[in-house]
């Protein structure tokens, strides 16, 4: 029997993505990192993103192996620390993929408008989240253009190679900023009244259950060494 995917409230996903890095500032990395990885994996799995979950867990496993290898076998402390930092960053990446890939601008705007947040902040967050996929798409266009012109990226000349990527992207940023602003104004994104939306994002029982599970995990991690 196929299990129906459960879509988490976008504002809750955004809250998780802000909360996770904050926890590492006040709590020990272990076992908090493992708990957050399990939680982020659970959110992706119940959202029907099993393949993406397995890929990100595999990357996490590589980082864990790299940490063990560089800290015990080769004794390269800098690389071991880098692997640890990336391991702590992985739960944020998993939650961020949900915002970037699984929600439309209208869904995000509908969810954030229900929160007591300044209008300017909501607009800024929406534009930022939507610009990342656009930046990635433009980067692909530049890469394809380089390939057609016979220009290959090489680590032997990193500065010159990056120049072919960065300079066109900076020019495109100006044009894209104007396009995104114009599209938002046409859709009434700067209106002072709360807009109606086809996507009414409400908190469900599944959202509340996830919050409870995260709180239990955080408390358990905090009491781990007591």
């Amino acid at each position: 029997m196929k299990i129906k995917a459960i879509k988490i409230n976008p504002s809750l996903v955004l809250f998780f993505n802000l909360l996770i890095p904050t926890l590492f500032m006040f709590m020990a990395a272990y076992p908090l990192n493992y708990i957050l990885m399990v939680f982020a994996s659970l959110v992706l799995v119940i959202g029907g993103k099993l393949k993406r979950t397995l890929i990100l867990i595999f990357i996490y496993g590589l980082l864990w192996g790299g940490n063990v290898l560089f800290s015990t076998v080769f004794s390269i402390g800098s690389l071991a620390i880098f692997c640890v930092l990336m391991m702590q960053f992985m739960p944020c990446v998993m939650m961020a993929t949900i915002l970037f890939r699984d929600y439309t601008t209208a869904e995000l705007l509908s969810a954030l408008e229900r929160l007591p947040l300044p209008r300017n902040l909501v607009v800024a967050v929406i534009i930022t989240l939507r610009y990342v996929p656009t930046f990635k798409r433009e980067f692909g266009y530049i890469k394809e253009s380089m390939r057609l012109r016979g220009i290959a990226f090489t680590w032997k000349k990193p500065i010159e190679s990056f120049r072919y990527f960065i300079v066109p992207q900076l020019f495109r940023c100006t044009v894209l900023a104007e396009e995104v602003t114009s599209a938002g104004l046409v859709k009434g994104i700067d209106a002072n009244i709360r807009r109606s939306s086809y996507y009414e994002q409400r908190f469900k029982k599944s959202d509340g259950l996830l919050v409870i599970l995260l709180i239990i995990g955080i408390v358990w991690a905090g009491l781990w060494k007591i």
Side-chain angles (χ1 to χ4, degrees), residues 99-110:
L99 291 175
F100 292 139
R101 301 182 59 179
D102 302 334
Y103 293 103
T104 64
T105 304
E107 289 176 309
L108 291 172
L109 185 59
S110 175

Side-chain angles (χ1 to χ4, degrees), residues 25-188:
M25 298 173 59
F26 303 100
M27 299 179 64
Y30 300 101
L32 179 63
N33 192 209
Y34 297 133
I35 293 173
L36 294 178
M37 272 298 298
V38 172
F39 176 78
S41 300
L42 175 63
V43 174
L44 283 174
V45 169
I46 65 176
K49 311 302 177 183
L50 180 60
K51 180 179 179 181
R52 189 191 309 170
T53 306
L54 294 176
I55 293 174
L56 293 172
I57 290 177
F58 177 73
I59 296 174
Y60 184 85
L62 292 178
L63 293 171
W64 182 85
N67 175 41
V68 174
L69 193 65
F70 292 128
S71 59
T72 59
V73 179
F74 297 107
S75 298
I76 306 177
S78 58
L79 292 179
I81 293 174
F82 173 78
C83 290
V84 171
L85 292 176
M86 292 305 296
M87 288 170 62
Q88 295 178 8
F89 192 61
M90 281 303 296
C92 295
V93 173
M94 298 177 77
M95 301 302 293
T97 59
I98 301 176
L99 291 175
F100 292 139
R101 301 182 59 179
D102 302 334
Y103 293 103
T104 64
T105 304
E107 289 176 309
L108 291 172
L109 185 59
S110 175
L112 292 178
E113 280 189 331
R114 299 181 65 86
L115 302 178
L117 297 174
R119 181 71 180 181
N120 292 337
L121 177 61
V122 172
V123 173
V125 171
I126 294 298
I127 292 177
T128 302
L129 293 175
R130 287 298 93 193
Y131 185 75
V132 173
T134 303
F135 184 89
K136 180 180 178 181
R137 185 173 61 251
E138 292 293 327
F139 202 81
Y141 293 156
I142 295 172
K143 185 177 179 181
E144 180 65 17
S145 178
M146 289 177 60
R147 187 187 67 82
L148 294 175
R149 289 171 171 80
I151 303 174
F153 180 84
T154 173
W155 289 105
K156 295 181 180 179
K157 298 180 179 179
I159 297 178
E160 183 178 349
S161 297
F162 275 111
R163 183 182 64 187
Y164 292 119
F165 282 106
I166 299 302
V167 174
Q169 187 65 257
L170 290 176
F171 281 101
R172 284 293 297 162
C173 285
T174 304
V175 178
L176 291 173
E178 294 179 357
E179 292 178 355
V180 171
T181 302
S182 300
L185 292 175
V186 169
K187 295 180 180 179

Side-chain angles (χ1 to χ4, degrees), residues 7 15 77 114 117 137 196 213:
K7 207 164 188 179
F15 170 73
R114 299 181 65 86
L117 297 174
R137 185 173 61 251
S196 60
L213 290 175

